[in-house]
Amino acid sequence: MTASLSGRVALVTGASRGIGLAVATRLAGAGARVCVTARKPEPLAEAVSLLGGPSVAIGVAGRADDPAHQAEAVAAAVEAFGPVDILVNNTGINPVFGPLIDMDLGAARKIFEVNLLAALGWVQAVYAGGPRPGVVVNVSSVGGRVPPPGISFYGVTKAALEHLTRCLAVELAPHVRVNAVAPAVVKTKFATLLYEGREEEVASTYPLARLGIPDDVAAAVAFLASDEAAWITGQTLVIDGGVTLTGRGA
Ligand SMILES: NC(=O)c1ccc[n+]([C@@H]2O[C@H](COP(=O)([O-])OP(=O)(O)OC[C@H]3O[C@@H](n4cnc5c(N)ncnc54)[C@H](OP(=O)(O)O)[C@@H]3O)[C@@H](O)[C@H]2O)c1
C-alpha cells in the first residue's frame, strides 16, 4: 500500500499510458491530485478520465522538451490544484537503433534534449523562485548502467539523468528530495521491440523470471515520493527483476 499523499499535487510527464500512467494512478490512489502530460491530446484525455476526472486530474498536451509547454503545464496545475509538490520526470525517448559510430548527431541531440535537458527544465519550471518543500523522481533505465547494444546513446542520456539526480539532490537540499528509478524491460509500447514475440526467452534471463509491468515501477516511484522516503535523496533505485546482477542490461 502506498503511504498517504493526501493534499499533495503531482505533475507526471509522459503519462497518457505505460509507466507514467501507472505512476499517476498510484499517486492519485494515494490521495494526490495529478497533472499529466503527453503529446497527443485524445489519449491524454482518456488518461484523465481513468484517473477520476477533473476533480483529481488534469491533462496538458505538449512536447516535454518545449519550455513554453513546461510553463503552461505547471501554471495549469497550480491554478487547478495549487503548487506542485511532486514532479515525476517520466518522459524518455529512443527513436533510433544502431551503433554509436554511425549515429546521426541530430537524432542524438533530440534524445539528449528530451531525456536530459527537459528533465532539468521541468525542475526549474516547478522549483525556481525560492526554496519550498518538494520531491522529484526521475525515470532512468538500466541502460544508463550497463551499455545497451543498439540504444547506447539513450543509455548515455539516462546515465547523465542519474548524475543530474545526484547534483540536484545536493543543490536543492534540504527542501527538495531528488531521486530516480532505473527499470529494466517493462511491458509497454516503448519496449515492445525488446520482448514482443520472445517474452519467455527474454524473461528467462531475469532471476525473478518475468519482465516488469508498469506498476512495478509506479510502486517504487510512489514510495520515493512519499514521506516514507523522507531521508532518501540523490539515489537511483534499480527495478530490474535482478537482471543487472547477472551482468546483463535490458
Ligand atoms: N518500458 C521499458 O522497458 C522502460 C525501461 C526503462 C526505462 N523506461 C523509461 O520509462 C519512461 C516511460 O516509458 P514507457 O515505457 O512507459 O513508454 P510508453 O508506454 O511508450 O509511454 C510514453 C509516454 O510518454 C509520452 N511521450 C512520448 N514522447 C513524449 C514527448 N516528447 N513529450 C511528451 N510526452 C511524450 C507518450 O504519449 P505521446 O506519444 O502522446 O506523447 C506516453 O504517454 C521513459 O523515460 C523510458 O525511458 C522504460
Side-chain angles (χ1 to χ4, degrees), residues 1-5 12 18-30 86 88 90 135 137 139 177 179-183 186 210 212-229 232 237-239:
M1 207 178 101
T2 302
S4 174
L5 297 172
V12 187
I19 292 169
L21 180 56
V23 167
T25 304
R26 273 268 176 179
L27 300 183
I86 299 166
V88 182
N90 170 67
V135 175
V137 183
V139 179
R177 292 187 300 106
N179 290 293
V181 292
V186 177
R210 69 167 175 87
I213 57 169
D215 198 50
D216 290 322
V217 182
V221 172
F223 163 69
L224 289 171
S226 78
D227 293 345
E228 299 288 300
I232 301 176
L237 183 53
V238 175
I239 305 164

Side-chain angles (χ1 to χ4, degrees), residues 19-175:
I19 292 169
L21 180 56
V23 167
T25 304
R26 273 268 176 179
L27 300 183
R33 284 168 299 167
V34 188
C35 175
V36 288
T37 76
R39 288 165 305 178
K40 297 188 201 84
E42 292 82 17
L44 192 59
E46 281 165 33
V48 166
S49 163
L50 276 174
L51 288 165
S55 60
V56 177
I58 58 165
V60 181
R63 286 189 297 106
D65 57 327
D66 174 3
H69 165 64
Q70 295 168 359
E72 184 196 358
V74 173
V78 171
E79 192 183 329
F81 303 132
V84 175
D85 306 295
I86 299 166
L87 169 65
V88 182
N89 274 314
N90 170 67
T91 310
I93 61 165
N94 181 53
V96 292
F97 188 88
L100 282 173
I101 201 71
D102 298 327
M103 176 122 197
D104 174 75
L105 295 184
R109 236 168 249 121
K110 182 68 185 172
I111 300 170
F112 184 79
E113 297 253 339
V114 175
N115 294 5
L116 187 75
L117 284 188
L120 176 58
W122 282 102
V123 171
Q124 291 176 340
V126 170
Y127 292 111
R132 65 183 183 83
V135 175
V136 177
V137 183
N138 295 321
V139 179
S140 180
S141 165
V142 295
R145 304 182 148 239
V146 181
I151 54 172
S152 294
F153 194 76
Y154 165 81
V156 169
T157 63
K158 292 298 194 180
L161 183 64
E162 292 187 21
H163 199 53
L164 180 73
T165 300
R166 290 185 282 272
C167 292
L168 283 170
V170 171
E171 187 175 316
L172 300 182
H175 307 286

